[in-house]
Amino acid sequence: MNEQNLSIRLHTVGGYVIGDTVADIGTDHAYLPVFLVQNQKCKTAIAGEVNEGPLSSARSLINKHELSSKITAKLGSGLEVLEGENVDTVVIAGMGGPLITSILDEGKQQLVNVKRLVLQPNVAANHIRKWLYQHQWSLIAEEMVEEDEHIYEIIVAEPGKPSAMYSDNLEKELWMGPCLLKNKNSTFQKKWIREELKLEHVRSQIQQAKKETNKEEKMNEISKRLQWIKEELS
């Protein structure tokens, strides 16, 4: 992967950005901001990084393409880099769901004027959906992409009425994705077959454990989720 040829994952993420200015939080090498600006997907971008090493790599790539007047590489924790900036789309990609959720929560005051969030968790997307639901962000799109045997979920949200996308099966839809449940394609099937196998394995381990805290509660939760999967794969 490089700035000309993004991974399938990042290329799909980039397809959801809107507006003149995009902030890529945890930008790593700044492949996405460089790609977006070069392809007129946005006019300017912020490449945010919490560590000096990746920030240096980002600056090197930005300078290589003579884009320092359009892309600003900033050091800061999470959404701190949005301080004093006017941003239309915020991208947070390639992290765990709980980490993305904590970044959103710690920096929520910086999201007041943001028009869109494009979030790509590597795991535990339900943490993000729950946070969005609780903080007045409405899902407008979800997509699954497969790359190198990994399946990634992309969640797109805008300020609005969170409940509009959900039904009475809120807990299930927060876990599996309300938009994804309406488009149960082959990637969806593959993901949840894998998840079913993982849950069966965990259930077997808990059953065999001699000492297990909250054993009955955990077993009930697993059984509930397995039932949800069976309902959607049938």
Side-chain angles (χ1 to χ4, degrees), residues 125-157:
N126 56 307
H127 287 252
I128 293 171
R129 290 191 194 96
K130 185 176 180 181
W131 187 93
L132 294 170
Y133 187 87
Q134 292 172 338
H135 291 85
Q136 301 305 304
W137 287 85
S138 179
L139 290 185
I140 62 162
E142 295 179 298
E143 186 171 346
M144 277 185 182
V145 294
E146 184 174 8
E147 185 171 62
D148 299 331
E149 289 302 306
H150 294 285
I151 294 174
Y152 302 101
E153 293 180 47
I154 297 162
I155 297 171
V156 186

PDB file of all heavy atoms in Angstrom, residues 125-157:
ATOM      1  N   ALA A 125     -17.128  -3.234  16.756  1.00  0.00           N
ATOM      2  CA  ALA A 125     -17.830  -2.074  16.194  1.00  0.00           C
ATOM      3  C   ALA A 125     -19.037  -1.678  17.033  1.00  0.00           C
ATOM      4  O   ALA A 125     -19.471  -0.516  17.004  1.00  0.00           O
ATOM      5  CB  ALA A 125     -18.266  -2.377  14.761  1.00  0.00           C
ATOM      6  N   ASN A 126     -19.580  -2.626  17.797  1.00  0.00           N
ATOM      7  CA  ASN A 126     -20.767  -2.319  18.605  1.00  0.00           C
ATOM      8  C   ASN A 126     -20.501  -1.243  19.653  1.00  0.00           C
ATOM      9  O   ASN A 126     -21.391  -0.466  20.010  1.00  0.00           O
ATOM     10  CB  ASN A 126     -21.292  -3.587  19.292  1.00  0.00           C
ATOM     11  CG  ASN A 126     -20.258  -4.282  20.154  1.00  0.00           C
ATOM     12  OD1 ASN A 126     -19.156  -4.580  19.705  1.00  0.00           O
ATOM     13  ND2 ASN A 126     -20.611  -4.561  21.396  1.00  0.00           N
ATOM     14  N   HIS A 127     -19.265  -1.129  20.143  1.00  0.00           N
ATOM     15  CA  HIS A 127     -18.910  -0.066  21.086  1.00  0.00           C
ATOM     16  C   HIS A 127     -19.142   1.304  20.439  1.00  0.00           C
ATOM     17  O   HIS A 127     -19.641   2.234  21.083  1.00  0.00           O
ATOM     18  CB  HIS A 127     -17.441  -0.189  21.510  1.00  0.00           C
ATOM     19  CG  HIS A 127     -17.178  -1.329  22.435  1.00  0.00           C
ATOM     20  ND1 HIS A 127     -16.889  -1.155  23.770  1.00  0.00           N
ATOM     21  CD2 HIS A 127     -17.157  -2.669  22.231  1.00  0.00           C
ATOM     22  CE1 HIS A 127     -16.711  -2.335  24.337  1.00  0.00           C
ATOM     23  NE2 HIS A 127     -16.871  -3.268  23.424  1.00  0.00           N
ATOM     24  N   ILE A 128     -18.771   1.409  19.168  1.00  0.00           N
ATOM     25  CA  ILE A 128     -18.910   2.677  18.454  1.00  0.00           C
ATOM     26  C   ILE A 128     -20.377   3.004  18.209  1.00  0.00           C
ATOM     27  O   ILE A 128     -20.820   4.133  18.437  1.00  0.00           O
ATOM     28  CB  ILE A 128     -18.138   2.624  17.115  1.00  0.00           C
ATOM     29  CG1 ILE A 128     -16.635   2.528  17.390  1.00  0.00           C
ATOM     30  CG2 ILE A 128     -18.457   3.847  16.248  1.00  0.00           C
ATOM     31  CD1 ILE A 128     -15.810   2.266  16.158  1.00  0.00           C
ATOM     32  N   ARG A 129     -21.139   2.011  17.748  1.00  0.00           N
ATOM     33  CA  ARG A 129     -22.562   2.251  17.494  1.00  0.00           C
ATOM     34  C   ARG A 129     -23.268   2.720  18.763  1.00  0.00           C
ATOM     35  O   ARG A 129     -24.116   3.610  18.712  1.00  0.00           O
ATOM     36  CB  ARG A 129     -23.229   0.979  16.955  1.00  0.00           C
ATOM     37  CG  ARG A 129     -22.802   0.619  15.561  1.00  0.00           C
ATOM     38  CD  ARG A 129     -23.665  -0.480  14.979  1.00  0.00           C
ATOM     39  NE  ARG A 129     -23.012  -1.022  13.791  1.00  0.00           N
ATOM     40  CZ  ARG A 129     -22.248  -2.110  13.783  1.00  0.00           C
ATOM     41  NH1 ARG A 129     -22.070  -2.805  14.893  1.00  0.00           N
ATOM     42  NH2 ARG A 129     -21.687  -2.520  12.673  1.00  0.00           N
ATOM     43  N   LYS A 130     -22.932   2.103  19.874  1.00  0.00           N
ATOM     44  CA  LYS A 130     -23.572   2.481  21.137  1.00  0.00           C
ATOM     45  C   LYS A 130     -23.242   3.920  21.492  1.00  0.00           C
ATOM     46  O   LYS A 130     -24.114   4.696  21.895  1.00  0.00           O
ATOM     47  CB  LYS A 130     -23.125   1.533  22.254  1.00  0.00           C
ATOM     48  CG  LYS A 130     -23.838   1.772  23.576  1.00  0.00           C
ATOM     49  CD  LYS A 130     -23.426   0.733  24.620  1.00  0.00           C
ATOM     50  CE  LYS A 130     -24.153   0.976  25.932  1.00  0.00           C
ATOM     51  NZ  LYS A 130     -23.760  -0.011  26.976  1.00  0.00           N
ATOM     52  N   TRP A 131     -21.976   4.319  21.316  1.00  0.00           N
ATOM     53  CA  TRP A 131     -21.565   5.692  21.628  1.00  0.00           C
ATOM     54  C   TRP A 131     -22.301   6.677  20.719  1.00  0.00           C
ATOM     55  O   TRP A 131     -22.825   7.705  21.186  1.00  0.00           O
ATOM     56  CB  TRP A 131     -20.055   5.861  21.483  1.00  0.00           C
ATOM     57  CG  TRP A 131     -19.587   7.204  21.954  1.00  0.00           C
ATOM     58  CD1 TRP A 131     -19.143   7.524  23.202  1.00  0.00           C
ATOM     59  CD2 TRP A 131     -19.543   8.426  21.187  1.00  0.00           C
ATOM     60  NE1 TRP A 131     -18.825   8.858  23.273  1.00  0.00           N
ATOM     61  CE2 TRP A 131     -19.055   9.444  22.055  1.00  0.00           C
ATOM     62  CE3 TRP A 131     -19.844   8.756  19.868  1.00  0.00           C
ATOM     63  CZ2 TRP A 131     -18.880  10.758  21.638  1.00  0.00           C
ATOM     64  CZ3 TRP A 131     -19.675  10.071  19.455  1.00  0.00           C
ATOM     65  CH2 TRP A 131     -19.201  11.056  20.334  1.00  0.00           C
ATOM     66  N   LEU A 132     -22.349   6.379  19.440  1.00  0.00           N
ATOM     67  CA  LEU A 132     -23.042   7.262  18.494  1.00  0.00           C
ATOM     68  C   LEU A 132     -24.512   7.413  18.868  1.00  0.00           C
ATOM     69  O   LEU A 132     -25.056   8.515  18.831  1.00  0.00           O
ATOM     70  CB  LEU A 132     -22.916   6.696  17.065  1.00  0.00           C
ATOM     71  CG  LEU A 132     -21.507   6.664  16.465  1.00  0.00           C
ATOM     72  CD1 LEU A 132     -21.512   5.865  15.168  1.00  0.00           C
ATOM     73  CD2 LEU A 132     -20.955   8.063  16.231  1.00  0.00           C
ATOM     74  N   TYR A 133     -25.140   6.314  19.229  1.00  0.00           N
ATOM     75  CA  TYR A 133     -26.542   6.316  19.608  1.00  0.00           C
ATOM     76  C   TYR A 133     -26.784   7.198  20.832  1.00  0.00           C
ATOM     77  O   TYR A 133     -27.782   7.924  20.913  1.00  0.00           O
ATOM     78  CB  TYR A 133     -26.997   4.877  19.894  1.00  0.00           C
ATOM     79  CG  TYR A 133     -28.478   4.725  20.135  1.00  0.00           C
ATOM     80  CD1 TYR A 133     -29.363   4.543  19.075  1.00  0.00           C
ATOM     81  CD2 TYR A 133     -28.993   4.763  21.429  1.00  0.00           C
ATOM     82  CE1 TYR A 133     -30.730   4.408  19.287  1.00  0.00           C
ATOM     83  CE2 TYR A 133     -30.364   4.622  21.656  1.00  0.00           C
ATOM     84  CZ  TYR A 133     -31.219   4.453  20.586  1.00  0.00           C
ATOM     85  OH  TYR A 133     -32.566   4.330  20.808  1.00  0.00           O
ATOM     86  N   GLN A 134     -25.855   7.144  21.767  1.00  0.00           N
ATOM     87  CA  GLN A 134     -26.005   7.894  23.017  1.00  0.00           C
ATOM     88  C   GLN A 134     -25.646   9.374  22.874  1.00  0.00           C
ATOM     89  O   GLN A 134     -25.965  10.172  23.759  1.00  0.00           O
ATOM     90  CB  GLN A 134     -25.135   7.261  24.106  1.00  0.00           C
ATOM     91  CG  GLN A 134     -25.604   5.877  24.534  1.00  0.00           C
ATOM     92  CD  GLN A 134     -24.624   5.195  25.464  1.00  0.00           C
ATOM     93  OE1 GLN A 134     -23.431   5.516  25.498  1.00  0.00           O
ATOM     94  NE2 GLN A 134     -25.123   4.237  26.241  1.00  0.00           N
ATOM     95  N   HIS A 135     -24.960   9.747  21.778  1.00  0.00           N
ATOM     96  CA  HIS A 135     -24.473  11.120  21.643  1.00  0.00           C
ATOM     97  C   HIS A 135     -25.032  11.833  20.408  1.00  0.00           C
ATOM     98  O   HIS A 135     -24.395  12.726  19.850  1.00  0.00           O
ATOM     99  CB  HIS A 135     -22.940  11.130  21.631  1.00  0.00           C
ATOM    100  CG  HIS A 135     -22.347  10.756  22.957  1.00  0.00           C
ATOM    101  ND1 HIS A 135     -22.149   9.439  23.333  1.00  0.00           N
ATOM    102  CD2 HIS A 135     -21.943  11.517  24.008  1.00  0.00           C
ATOM    103  CE1 HIS A 135     -21.635   9.415  24.552  1.00  0.00           C
ATOM    104  NE2 HIS A 135     -21.507  10.652  24.984  1.00  0.00           N
ATOM    105  N   GLN A 136     -26.236  11.428  19.988  1.00  0.00           N
ATOM    106  CA  GLN A 136     -26.970  12.145  18.933  1.00  0.00           C
ATOM    107  C   GLN A 136     -26.276  12.142  17.576  1.00  0.00           C
ATOM    108  O   GLN A 136     -26.294  13.132  16.838  1.00  0.00           O
ATOM    109  CB  GLN A 136     -27.267  13.591  19.387  1.00  0.00           C
ATOM    110  CG  GLN A 136     -28.077  13.685  20.660  1.00  0.00           C
ATOM    111  CD  GLN A 136     -29.390  12.905  20.588  1.00  0.00           C
ATOM    112  OE1 GLN A 136     -30.198  13.141  19.694  1.00  0.00           O
ATOM    113  NE2 GLN A 136     -29.599  11.966  21.507  1.00  0.00           N
ATOM    114  N   TRP A 137     -25.655  11.002  17.237  1.00  0.00           N
ATOM    115  CA  TRP A 137     -25.114  10.802  15.898  1.00  0.00           C
ATOM    116  C   TRP A 137     -25.942   9.712  15.224  1.00  0.00           C
ATOM    117  O   TRP A 137     -26.150   8.635  15.778  1.00  0.00           O
ATOM    118  CB  TRP A 137     -23.645  10.397  15.936  1.00  0.00           C
ATOM    119  CG  TRP A 137     -22.742  11.520  16.307  1.00  0.00           C
ATOM    120  CD1 TRP A 137     -22.423  11.934  17.564  1.00  0.00           C
ATOM    121  CD2 TRP A 137     -22.053  12.390  15.409  1.00  0.00           C
ATOM    122  NE1 TRP A 137     -21.566  13.013  17.507  1.00  0.00           N
ATOM    123  CE2 TRP A 137     -21.322  13.312  16.199  1.00  0.00           C
ATOM    124  CE3 TRP A 137     -21.963  12.474  14.017  1.00  0.00           C
ATOM    125  CZ2 TRP A 137     -20.526  14.301  15.634  1.00  0.00           C
ATOM    126  CZ3 TRP A 137     -21.165  13.464  13.454  1.00  0.00           C
ATOM    127  CH2 TRP A 137     -20.460  14.372  14.268  1.00  0.00           C
ATOM    128  N   SER A 138     -26.397   9.991  14.030  1.00  0.00           N
ATOM    129  CA  SER A 138     -27.251   9.063  13.299  1.00  0.00           C
ATOM    130  C   SER A 138     -26.442   8.303  12.235  1.00  0.00           C
ATOM    131  O   SER A 138     -25.696   8.912  11.460  1.00  0.00           O
ATOM    132  CB  SER A 138     -28.384   9.831  12.622  1.00  0.00           C
ATOM    133  OG  SER A 138     -29.209   8.961  11.890  1.00  0.00           O
ATOM    134  N   LEU A 139     -26.598   6.985  12.206  1.00  0.00           N
ATOM    135  CA  LEU A 139     -25.941   6.191  11.169  1.00  0.00           C
ATOM    136  C   LEU A 139     -26.553   6.527   9.812  1.00  0.00           C
ATOM    137  O   LEU A 139     -27.778   6.576   9.671  1.00  0.00           O
ATOM    138  CB  LEU A 139     -26.131   4.700  11.424  1.00  0.00           C
ATOM    139  CG  LEU A 139     -25.417   4.062  12.610  1.00  0.00           C
ATOM    140  CD1 LEU A 139     -25.653   2.560  12.600  1.00  0.00           C
ATOM    141  CD2 LEU A 139     -23.929   4.340  12.583  1.00  0.00           C
ATOM    142  N   ILE A 140     -25.691   6.743   8.825  1.00  0.00           N
ATOM    143  CA  ILE A 140     -26.213   6.946   7.472  1.00  0.00           C
ATOM    144  C   ILE A 140     -25.732   5.849   6.521  1.00  0.00           C
ATOM    145  O   ILE A 140     -26.294   5.667   5.442  1.00  0.00           O
ATOM    146  CB  ILE A 140     -25.848   8.337   6.921  1.00  0.00           C
ATOM    147  CG1 ILE A 140     -24.328   8.500   6.809  1.00  0.00           C
ATOM    148  CG2 ILE A 140     -26.442   9.437   7.762  1.00  0.00           C
ATOM    149  CD1 ILE A 140     -23.934   9.626   5.891  1.00  0.00           C
ATOM    150  N   ALA A 141     -24.680   5.123   6.926  1.00  0.00           N
ATOM    151  CA  ALA A 141     -24.193   4.024   6.085  1.00  0.00           C
ATOM    152  C   ALA A 141     -23.291   3.110   6.906  1.00  0.00           C
ATOM    153  O   ALA A 141     -22.636   3.556   7.862  1.00  0.00           O
ATOM    154  CB  ALA A 141     -23.421   4.560   4.882  1.00  0.00           C
ATOM    155  N   GLU A 142     -23.289   1.852   6.517  1.00  0.00           N
ATOM    156  CA  GLU A 142     -22.342   0.877   7.050  1.00  0.00           C
ATOM    157  C   GLU A 142     -21.914  -0.016   5.897  1.00  0.00           C
ATOM    158  O   GLU A 142     -22.711  -0.301   5.003  1.00  0.00           O
ATOM    159  CB  GLU A 142     -22.976   0.001   8.133  1.00  0.00           C
ATOM    160  CG  GLU A 142     -23.391   0.744   9.384  1.00  0.00           C
ATOM    161  CD  GLU A 142     -24.035  -0.181  10.402  1.00  0.00           C
ATOM    162  OE1 GLU A 142     -25.095  -0.780  10.091  1.00  0.00           O
ATOM    163  OE2 GLU A 142     -23.483  -0.317  11.496  1.00  0.00           O
ATOM    164  N   GLU A 143     -20.673  -0.445   5.936  1.00  0.00           N
ATOM    165  CA  GLU A 143     -20.180  -1.320   4.874  1.00  0.00           C
ATOM    166  C   GLU A 143     -19.145  -2.272   5.450  1.00  0.00           C
ATOM    167  O   GLU A 143     -18.396  -1.921   6.360  1.00  0.00           O
ATOM    168  CB  GLU A 143     -19.567  -0.492   3.740  1.00  0.00           C
ATOM    169  CG  GLU A 143     -19.171  -1.314   2.537  1.00  0.00           C
ATOM    170  CD  GLU A 143     -18.757  -0.472   1.324  1.00  0.00           C
ATOM    171  OE1 GLU A 143     -19.017   0.749   1.322  1.00  0.00           O
ATOM    172  OE2 GLU A 143     -18.179  -1.054   0.398  1.00  0.00           O
ATOM    173  N   MET A 144     -19.134  -3.484   4.915  1.00  0.00           N
ATOM    174  CA  MET A 144     -18.099  -4.457   5.258  1.00  0.00           C
ATOM    175  C   MET A 144     -17.180  -4.645   4.061  1.00  0.00           C
ATOM    176  O   MET A 144     -17.648  -4.753   2.919  1.00  0.00           O
ATOM    177  CB  MET A 144     -18.727  -5.815   5.606  1.00  0.00           C
ATOM    178  CG  MET A 144     -19.228  -5.941   7.018  1.00  0.00           C
ATOM    179  SD  MET A 144     -19.796  -7.634   7.311  1.00  0.00           S
ATOM    180  CE  MET A 144     -20.381  -7.460   8.997  1.00  0.00           C
ATOM    181  N   VAL A 145     -15.881  -4.682   4.331  1.00  0.00           N
ATOM    182  CA  VAL A 145     -14.914  -4.987   3.272  1.00  0.00           C
ATOM    183  C   VAL A 145     -13.972  -6.077   3.773  1.00  0.00           C
ATOM    184  O   VAL A 145     -13.643  -6.132   4.958  1.00  0.00           O
ATOM    185  CB  VAL A 145     -14.099  -3.746   2.844  1.00  0.00           C
ATOM    186  CG1 VAL A 145     -14.986  -2.719   2.185  1.00  0.00           C
ATOM    187  CG2 VAL A 145     -13.353  -3.129   4.014  1.00  0.00           C
ATOM    188  N   GLU A 146     -13.572  -6.921   2.855  1.00  0.00           N
ATOM    189  CA  GLU A 146     -12.629  -7.991   3.192  1.00  0.00           C
ATOM    190  C   GLU A 146     -11.293  -7.735   2.516  1.00  0.00           C
ATOM    191  O   GLU A 146     -11.246  -7.386   1.335  1.00  0.00           O
ATOM    192  CB  GLU A 146     -13.184  -9.349   2.757  1.00  0.00           C
ATOM    193  CG  GLU A 146     -12.281 -10.503   3.167  1.00  0.00           C
ATOM    194  CD  GLU A 146     -12.878 -11.868   2.863  1.00  0.00           C
ATOM    195  OE1 GLU A 146     -13.931 -11.927   2.199  1.00  0.00           O
ATOM    196  OE2 GLU A 146     -12.270 -12.875   3.285  1.00  0.00           O
ATOM    197  N   GLU A 147     -10.234  -7.906   3.269  1.00  0.00           N
ATOM    198  CA  GLU A 147      -8.888  -7.694   2.731  1.00  0.00           C
ATOM    199  C   GLU A 147      -7.906  -8.573   3.506  1.00  0.00           C
ATOM    200  O   GLU A 147      -7.867  -8.539   4.734  1.00  0.00           O
ATOM    201  CB  GLU A 147      -8.497  -6.216   2.875  1.00  0.00           C
ATOM    202  CG  GLU A 147      -7.172  -5.873   2.236  1.00  0.00           C
ATOM    203  CD  GLU A 147      -6.963  -4.363   2.230  1.00  0.00           C
ATOM    204  OE1 GLU A 147      -6.914  -3.769   3.316  1.00  0.00           O
ATOM    205  OE2 GLU A 147      -6.852  -3.802   1.133  1.00  0.00           O
ATOM    206  N   ASP A 148      -7.139  -9.359   2.780  1.00  0.00           N
ATOM    207  CA  ASP A 148      -6.137 -10.243   3.395  1.00  0.00           C
ATOM    208  C   ASP A 148      -6.740 -11.096   4.516  1.00  0.00           C
ATOM    209  O   ASP A 148      -6.179 -11.215   5.609  1.00  0.00           O
ATOM    210  CB  ASP A 148      -4.961  -9.418   3.939  1.00  0.00           C
ATOM    211  CG  ASP A 148      -4.244  -8.645   2.851  1.00  0.00           C
ATOM    212  OD1 ASP A 148      -4.241  -9.114   1.703  1.00  0.00           O
ATOM    213  OD2 ASP A 148      -3.719  -7.564   3.149  1.00  0.00           O
ATOM    214  N   GLU A 149      -7.892 -11.661   4.229  1.00  0.00           N
ATOM    215  CA  GLU A 149      -8.581 -12.565   5.164  1.00  0.00           C
ATOM    216  C   GLU A 149      -9.164 -11.861   6.397  1.00  0.00           C
ATOM    217  O   GLU A 149      -9.694 -12.505   7.292  1.00  0.00           O
ATOM    218  CB  GLU A 149      -7.654 -13.708   5.626  1.00  0.00           C
ATOM    219  CG  GLU A 149      -7.365 -14.731   4.544  1.00  0.00           C
ATOM    220  CD  GLU A 149      -8.638 -15.384   3.987  1.00  0.00           C
ATOM    221  OE1 GLU A 149      -9.429 -15.904   4.784  1.00  0.00           O
ATOM    222  OE2 GLU A 149      -8.830 -15.363   2.764  1.00  0.00           O
ATOM    223  N   HIS A 150      -9.062 -10.544   6.452  1.00  0.00           N
ATOM    224  CA  HIS A 150      -9.692  -9.786   7.537  1.00  0.00           C
ATOM    225  C   HIS A 150     -10.963  -9.132   7.000  1.00  0.00           C
ATOM    226  O   HIS A 150     -11.007  -8.682   5.855  1.00  0.00           O
ATOM    227  CB  HIS A 150      -8.747  -8.700   8.072  1.00  0.00           C
ATOM    228  CG  HIS A 150      -7.535  -9.233   8.756  1.00  0.00           C
ATOM    229  ND1 HIS A 150      -7.571  -9.776  10.017  1.00  0.00           N
ATOM    230  CD2 HIS A 150      -6.246  -9.316   8.345  1.00  0.00           C
ATOM    231  CE1 HIS A 150      -6.356 -10.166  10.368  1.00  0.00           C
ATOM    232  NE2 HIS A 150      -5.540  -9.906   9.365  1.00  0.00           N
ATOM    233  N   ILE A 151     -11.982  -9.081   7.850  1.00  0.00           N
ATOM    234  CA  ILE A 151     -13.228  -8.401   7.486  1.00  0.00           C
ATOM    235  C   ILE A 151     -13.373  -7.164   8.373  1.00  0.00           C
ATOM    236  O   ILE A 151     -13.303  -7.254   9.596  1.00  0.00           O
ATOM    237  CB  ILE A 151     -14.439  -9.329   7.649  1.00  0.00           C
ATOM    238  CG1 ILE A 151     -14.350 -10.475   6.633  1.00  0.00           C
ATOM    239  CG2 ILE A 151     -15.745  -8.547   7.435  1.00  0.00           C
ATOM    240  CD1 ILE A 151     -15.416 -11.536   6.788  1.00  0.00           C
ATOM    241  N   TYR A 152     -13.515  -6.016   7.724  1.00  0.00           N
ATOM    242  CA  TYR A 152     -13.593  -4.745   8.434  1.00  0.00           C
ATOM    243  C   TYR A 152     -14.987  -4.136   8.260  1.00  0.00           C
ATOM    244  O   TYR A 152     -15.595  -4.249   7.199  1.00  0.00           O
ATOM    245  CB  TYR A 152     -12.556  -3.765   7.888  1.00  0.00           C
ATOM    246  CG  TYR A 152     -11.136  -4.247   7.975  1.00  0.00           C
ATOM    247  CD1 TYR A 152     -10.485  -4.771   6.847  1.00  0.00           C
ATOM    248  CD2 TYR A 152     -10.436  -4.177   9.168  1.00  0.00           C
ATOM    249  CE1 TYR A 152      -9.176  -5.210   6.928  1.00  0.00           C
ATOM    250  CE2 TYR A 152      -9.113  -4.612   9.252  1.00  0.00           C
ATOM    251  CZ  TYR A 152      -8.491  -5.130   8.126  1.00  0.00           C
ATOM    252  OH  TYR A 152      -7.194  -5.571   8.202  1.00  0.00           O
ATOM    253  N   GLU A 153     -15.460  -3.462   9.305  1.00  0.00           N
ATOM    254  CA  GLU A 153     -16.712  -2.716   9.232  1.00  0.00           C
ATOM    255  C   GLU A 153     -16.411  -1.224   9.163  1.00  0.00           C
ATOM    256  O   GLU A 153     -15.548  -0.731   9.889  1.00  0.00           O
ATOM    257  CB  GLU A 153     -17.586  -3.010  10.464  1.00  0.00           C
ATOM    258  CG  GLU A 153     -18.085  -4.440  10.520  1.00  0.00           C
ATOM    259  CD  GLU A 153     -18.947  -4.705  11.741  1.00  0.00           C
ATOM    260  OE1 GLU A 153     -19.855  -3.898  12.026  1.00  0.00           O
ATOM    261  OE2 GLU A 153     -18.716  -5.726  12.406  1.00  0.00           O
ATOM    262  N   ILE A 154     -17.106  -0.536   8.283  1.00  0.00           N
ATOM    263  CA  ILE A 154     -16.978   0.913   8.159  1.00  0.00           C
ATOM    264  C   ILE A 154     -18.314   1.528   8.561  1.00  0.00           C
ATOM    265  O   ILE A 154     -19.366   1.140   8.051  1.00  0.00           O
ATOM    266  CB  ILE A 154     -16.584   1.313   6.730  1.00  0.00           C
ATOM    267  CG1 ILE A 154     -15.204   0.739   6.395  1.00  0.00           C
ATOM    268  CG2 ILE A 154     -16.586   2.834   6.569  1.00  0.00           C
ATOM    269  CD1 ILE A 154     -14.899   0.682   4.922  1.00  0.00           C
ATOM    270  N   ILE A 155     -18.255   2.461   9.492  1.00  0.00           N
ATOM    271  CA  ILE A 155     -19.460   3.081  10.047  1.00  0.00           C
ATOM    272  C   ILE A 155     -19.431   4.576   9.730  1.00  0.00           C
ATOM    273  O   ILE A 155     -18.451   5.258  10.027  1.00  0.00           O
ATOM    274  CB  ILE A 155     -19.516   2.870  11.578  1.00  0.00           C
ATOM    275  CG1 ILE A 155     -19.603   1.371  11.896  1.00  0.00           C
ATOM    276  CG2 ILE A 155     -20.687   3.626  12.187  1.00  0.00           C
ATOM    277  CD1 ILE A 155     -19.436   1.060  13.371  1.00  0.00           C
ATOM    278  N   VAL A 156     -20.495   5.059   9.121  1.00  0.00           N
ATOM    279  CA  VAL A 156     -20.581   6.465   8.726  1.00  0.00           C
ATOM    280  C   VAL A 156     -21.750   7.106   9.466  1.00  0.00           C
ATOM    281  O   VAL A 156     -22.866   6.577   9.456  1.00  0.00           O
ATOM    282  CB  VAL A 156     -20.785   6.607   7.196  1.00  0.00           C
ATOM    283  CG1 VAL A 156     -20.715   8.071   6.786  1.00  0.00           C
ATOM    284  CG2 VAL A 156     -19.744   5.785   6.436  1.00  0.00           C
ATOM    285  N   ALA A 157     -21.489   8.226  10.123  1.00  0.00           N
ATOM    286  CA  ALA A 157     -22.535   8.873  10.929  1.00  0.00           C
ATOM    287  C   ALA A 157     -22.512  10.385  10.756  1.00  0.00           C
ATOM    288  O   ALA A 157     -21.475  10.984  10.481  1.00  0.00           O
ATOM    289  CB  ALA A 157     -22.346   8.519  12.403  1.00  0.00           C
TER     290      ALA A 157
END
